[in-house]
Coordinates of all heavy atoms in Angstrom, one line a residue:
Q124 N 2.5 9.5 -46.9 CA 3.9 9.2 -46.4 C 4.2 10.1 -45.2 O 5.4 10.1 -44.8 CB 4.8 9.6 -47.6 CG 4.5 8.7 -48.8 CD 5.1 9.4 -50.1 OE1 4.9 10.5 -50.3 NE2 5.8 8.6 -50.9
V125 N 3.2 10.7 -44.6 CA 3.4 11.5 -43.4 C 2.7 10.9 -42.3 O 1.6 10.4 -42.4 CB 2.8 13.0 -43.7 CG1 2.9 13.8 -42.4 CG2 3.6 13.6 -44.8
S126 N 3.4 10.8 -41.1 CA 2.8 10.2 -39.9 C 3.0 11.2 -38.7 O 3.7 12.2 -38.8 CB 3.5 8.9 -39.6 OG 4.9 9.0 -39.5
N127 N 2.2 10.9 -37.7 CA 2.3 11.6 -36.4 C 2.1 13.1 -36.6 O 2.6 13.9 -35.9 CB 3.7 11.4 -35.7 CG 4.0 9.9 -35.5 OD1 3.1 9.2 -35.1 ND2 5.2 9.5 -35.7
A128 N 1.2 13.5 -37.5 CA 0.9 14.9 -37.7 C 0.0 15.4 -36.6 O -0.9 14.7 -36.2 CB 0.2 15.1 -39.1
F129 N 0.3 16.6 -36.1 CA -0.5 17.1 -35.0 C -0.6 18.6 -35.1 O 0.3 19.3 -35.8 CB 0.0 16.7 -33.7 CG 1.4 17.4 -33.3 CD1 1.4 18.6 -32.7 CD2 2.6 16.7 -33.7 CE1 2.7 19.2 -32.5 CE2 3.8 17.3 -33.4 CZ 3.8 18.6 -32.8
V130 N -1.5 19.2 -34.5 CA -1.6 20.7 -34.3 C -1.9 20.8 -32.8 O -2.7 20.1 -32.2 CB -2.6 21.4 -35.1 CG1 -4.0 20.8 -35.0 CG2 -2.6 22.9 -34.9
R131 N -1.2 21.8 -32.2 CA -1.5 22.1 -30.8 C -1.6 23.6 -30.6 O -1.0 24.3 -31.4 CB -0.4 21.5 -29.8 CG 1.0 22.1 -30.1 CD 2.1 21.5 -29.3 NE 3.2 22.5 -29.2 CZ 3.3 23.4 -28.3 NH1 2.5 23.5 -27.3 NH2 4.3 24.3 -28.4
L132 N -2.3 24.0 -29.6 CA -2.5 25.4 -29.3 C -2.1 25.7 -27.9 O -2.5 25.0 -27.0 CB -3.9 25.8 -29.6 CG -4.2 27.3 -29.5 CD1 -5.2 27.7 -30.6 CD2 -4.7 27.7 -28.1
A133 N -1.2 26.6 -27.7 CA -0.7 27.0 -26.4 C -0.9 28.5 -26.2 O -0.9 29.3 -27.1 CB 0.8 26.6 -26.2
D134 N -1.0 28.9 -24.9 CA -1.1 30.3 -24.5 C 0.4 30.8 -24.6 O 1.2 30.3 -23.9 CB -1.6 30.4 -23.1 CG -1.8 31.8 -22.7 OD1 -1.1 32.7 -23.2 OD2 -2.7 32.1 -21.8
E135 N 0.6 31.8 -25.4 CA 1.9 32.3 -25.6 C 2.5 32.9 -24.2 O 3.7 32.8 -23.9 CB 2.0 33.4 -26.7 CG 3.4 33.7 -27.1 CD 3.7 35.1 -27.5 OE1 3.1 36.1 -26.9 OE2 4.5 35.3 -28.4

Side-chain angles (χ1 to χ4, degrees):
Q124 300 160 314
V125 175
S126 55
N127 305 320
F129 69 87
V130 56
R131 62 184 200 91
L132 187 141
D134 185 333
E135 194 211 39

